[in-house]
């Protein structure tokens, strides 16, 4: 019988600002290298934002047209940021030009009245510049892709806590940028979703491993392999069978070519979620066959663009199929311990039977390593965001952890 933690895991992973300032220090400078006393004095004075409460489920959660007049596609602007996730890239490219982090008024905490006459009737996707709040991301992935609310909250807060700026409540969907505000100080990274080994990881279907340089841009060779496998195993479509074979192929390639290949938690989980994501979210909601055409895959992966007349999934979805992809070619979490072809299982890593260990290791090791001794507003916002993360999995049976206390 399937354990409850595994069912919960599949439910969640089956899915996986431009600041004004009056401060005396440089506007977007990193605070790394400052003493603990200096940080204690400066961090409370940083331009900050109270983390917004996570958006709830959609009021209407059926299929609907999402590539419409209110969300036109625009080519990448000079300062726009894109990253390793084709779904978020697409939502940003269809975002509303005026509703960007640069438009937000940090004094009045409001969008300019001249921006748009009525926000209440417009479902926002992501800001086109690629810098967003967690609440914006959760709203966007639900509106654009009908992602399950608890999954949207879990993956968003997991990414934001390690890759975003917890003081300003902003995260880059790609590389590090000044637009998220001043960094709160090392060892925090605030590097955006491109950051390796905290959320992004090796053996991506369409991005190269970090060891080879660019881990966030579409890799033409790997995308051609995506197409080849879709033709060989899916009759010209990316489906569950293709996902099974391509996931295994990418793992084997990384073992054979990447001397620092790491396939432990959390990457162990997100890799399988990544394999099912296109099937769950990139197939038109009016199509009962969950298979992605090469033409539409090219639009999402290469152009960050919805297909014309694209309708989101007919019901809130995760990345159903994770168990099937994993069971086709099971492998234990592990890493290359001594160069290429030295893959060694890591018994300390969480796997699909130990979801609560994933949560525990994430909070105590990953987050604790980035924020060993937070102070002031940073500590407060860490407590709030960790609470939002746990709220997304509160039915999992895991014990909530409070490494920084409670408010």
């Amino acid at each position: 019988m399937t354990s409850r933690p595994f069912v919960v895991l599949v439910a969640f992973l089956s899915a996986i600002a431009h600041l004004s300032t009056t401060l005396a220090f440089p506007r977007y400078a990193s605070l790394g290298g400052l003493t603990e006393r200096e940080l204690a004095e400066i961090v409370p004075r940083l331009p900050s934002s109270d983390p917004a409460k996570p958006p709830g489920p959609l009021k209407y959660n059926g299929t609907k047209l999402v590539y419409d007049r209110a969300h036109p596609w625009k080519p990448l602007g000079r300062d726009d940021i894109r990253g390793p996730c084709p779904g978020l890239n697409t939502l940003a490219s269809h975002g509303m030009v005026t509703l960007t982090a640069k438009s937000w008024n940090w004094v009045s905490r409001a969008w300019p009245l001249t921006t748009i006459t009525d926000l209440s009737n417009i479902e926002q996707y992501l800001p086109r510049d690629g810098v967003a709040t967690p609440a914006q991301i959760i709203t966007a992935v639900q509106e654009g892709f009908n992602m399950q609310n608890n999954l949207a909250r879990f993956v968003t807060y997991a990414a934001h806590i390690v890759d975003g700026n917890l003081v300003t409540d902003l995260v880059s969907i790609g590389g590090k940028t000044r637009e998220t505000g001043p960094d709160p100080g090392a060892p925090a990274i605030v590097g955006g979703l491109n950051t390796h080994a905290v959320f992004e990881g090796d053996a991506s279907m369409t991005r190269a491993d970090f060891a080879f340089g660019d881990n966030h841009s579409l890799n033409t060779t790997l995308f051609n392999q995506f197409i080849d496998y879709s033709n060989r195993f899916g009759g010209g479509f990316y489906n569950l069978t293709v996902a099974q074979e391509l996931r295994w192929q990418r793992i084997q390639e990384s073992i054979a070519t990447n001397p620092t290949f790491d396939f432990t938690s959390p990457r162990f989980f997100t890799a399988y979620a990544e394999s099912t994501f296109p099937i769950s979210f990139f197939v038109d909601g009016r199509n009962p066959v969950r298979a992605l055409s090469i033409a539409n895959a090219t639009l999402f992966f290469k152009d960050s663009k919805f297909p014309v007349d694209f309708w989101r999934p007919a019901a809130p979805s995760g990345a159903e199929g994770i168990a099937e992809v994993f069971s086709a070619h099971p492998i234990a979490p592990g890493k290359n311990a001594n160069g290429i072809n030295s893959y060694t299982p890591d018994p300390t890593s969480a796997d699909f039977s130990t979801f609560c260990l994933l949560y525990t290791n994430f909070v105590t090791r990953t987050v604790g390593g980035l924020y060993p001794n937070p102070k002031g507003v940073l500590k407060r916002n860490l407590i709030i965001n960790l609470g939002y993360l746990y709220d997304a999995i509160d039915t999992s049976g895991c014990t909530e952890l409070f490494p920084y206390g409670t408010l």
Side-chain angles (χ1 to χ4, degrees):
M1 179 178 293
T2 304
S3 67
R4 176 168 179 75
F6 183 82
V7 172
V8 172
L9 172 63
V10 171
F12 295 142
L13 289 178
S14 71
I16 242 49
H18 186 85
L19 298 173
S20 60
T21 179
T22 58
L23 303 182
F25 47 86
R27 188 176 185 188
Y28 295 115
S30 169
L31 305 183
L34 298 181
T35 66
E36 184 173 334
R37 179 178 178 179
E38 290 170 328
L39 285 172
E41 294 176 353
I42 290 176
V43 168
R45 297 163 52 209
L46 292 177
S48 63
S49 178
D50 295 337
K53 291 185 178 181
L58 297 175
K59 292 182 179 179
Y60 172 71
N61 62 10
T63 188
K64 71 171 186 176
L65 180 68
V66 294
Y67 187 177
D68 55 18
R69 292 180 61 187
H71 304 95
W73 179 83
K74 296 285 186 181
L76 199 65
R78 184 183 64 179
D79 298 323
D80 292 345
I81 297 170
R82 300 295 180 264
C85 178
L88 294 182
N89 292 343
T90 297
L91 290 169
S93 293
H94 284 271
M96 298 179 66
V97 178
T98 51
L99 297 182
T100 68
K102 297 182 180 68
S103 303
W104 181 258
N105 186 317
W106 286 90
V107 176
S108 65
R109 299 272 196 257
W111 300 107
L113 294 178
T114 56
T115 294
I116 195 165
T117 56
D118 183 9
L119 289 176
S120 62
N121 295 321
I122 295 182
E123 301 84 2
Q124 301 174 37
Y125 297 162
L126 292 182
R128 289 194 189 271
D129 64 358
V131 176
T133 67
Q136 285 176 314
I137 293 176
I138 294 167
T139 295
V141 296
Q142 289 188 107
E143 289 290 350
F145 293 120
N146 213 355
M147 182 180 284
Q148 293 168 349
N149 178 258
N150 54 2
L151 170 62
R153 289 185 286 131
F154 182 79
V155 297
T156 297
Y157 285 108
H160 178 56
I161 290 169
V162 295
D163 291 335
N165 190 321
L166 298 174
V167 174
T168 62
D169 201 38
L170 291 168
V171 62
S172 163
I173 68 171
K176 189 175 184 66
T177 173
R178 300 184 305 170
E179 299 302 330
T180 57
D183 290 356
I189 301 170
V190 194
L193 299 190
N194 288 0
T195 304
H196 181 64
V198 286
F199 200 76
E200 177 277 335
D202 293 331
S204 167
M205 294 191 301
T206 61
R207 269 68 176 172
D209 287 4
F210 178 76
F212 304 126
D214 186 349
N215 67 329
H216 54 275
S217 301
L218 181 70
N219 183 287
T220 300
T221 300
L222 292 178
F223 187 66
N224 287 340
Q225 180 173 253
F226 176 99
I227 294 173
D228 176 53
Y229 269 62
S230 297
N231 287 328
R232 289 167 56 190
F233 297 100
F237 292 85
Y238 181 83
N239 58 23
L240 200 57
T241 301
V242 180
Q244 292 170 335
E245 300 308 316
L246 184 57
R247 167 49 50 214
W248 182 243
Q249 172 67 12
R250 289 296 297 124
I251 294 171
Q252 296 306 304
E253 288 176 348
S254 289
I255 291 174
T257 62
N258 181 356
T260 61
F261 175 53
D262 190 327
F263 202 57
T264 56
S265 173
R267 179 54 182 165
F268 181 79
F269 295 89
T270 60
Y272 289 99
E274 171 197 322
S275 295
T276 59
F277 188 103
I279 303 168
S280 297
F281 301 117
F282 292 174
V283 179
D284 193 291
R286 297 166 296 179
N287 184 356
V289 180
R290 308 312 291 167
L292 177 64
S293 70
I294 298 303
N296 285 354
T298 300
L299 288 172
F300 281 110
F301 282 93
K302 295 188 71 173
D303 300 328
S304 303
K305 186 176 185 179
F306 283 120
V308 173
D309 194 36
F310 183 80
W311 292 55
R312 72 187 185 194
S317 302
E320 288 77 9
I322 281 183
E324 290 88 340
V325 174
F326 173 74
S327 62
H329 302 285
I331 186 171
K335 63 183 67 175
N336 274 343
N338 189 28
I340 62 172
N341 293 318
S342 62
Y343 190 80
T344 305
D346 182 353
T348 69
S349 173
D351 60 23
F352 287 117
S353 67
T354 56
F355 172 68
C356 290
L357 182 60
L358 166 66
Y359 167 70
T360 298
N361 285 349
F362 178 79
V363 173
T364 60
R365 295 182 183 180
T366 306
V367 180
L370 293 172
Y371 298 99
N373 191 29
K375 305 291 184 181
V377 66
L378 175 60
K379 179 179 178 180
R380 180 201 67 184
N381 286 5
L382 265 168
I383 293 171
I384 293 172
N385 279 283
L386 284 171
Y388 291 159
L389 176 73
Y390 181 79
D391 287 346
I393 58 168
D394 62 357
T395 62
S396 65
C398 303
T399 300
E400 185 173 7
L401 301 178
F402 302 95
Y404 307 110
T406 59
L407 296 179

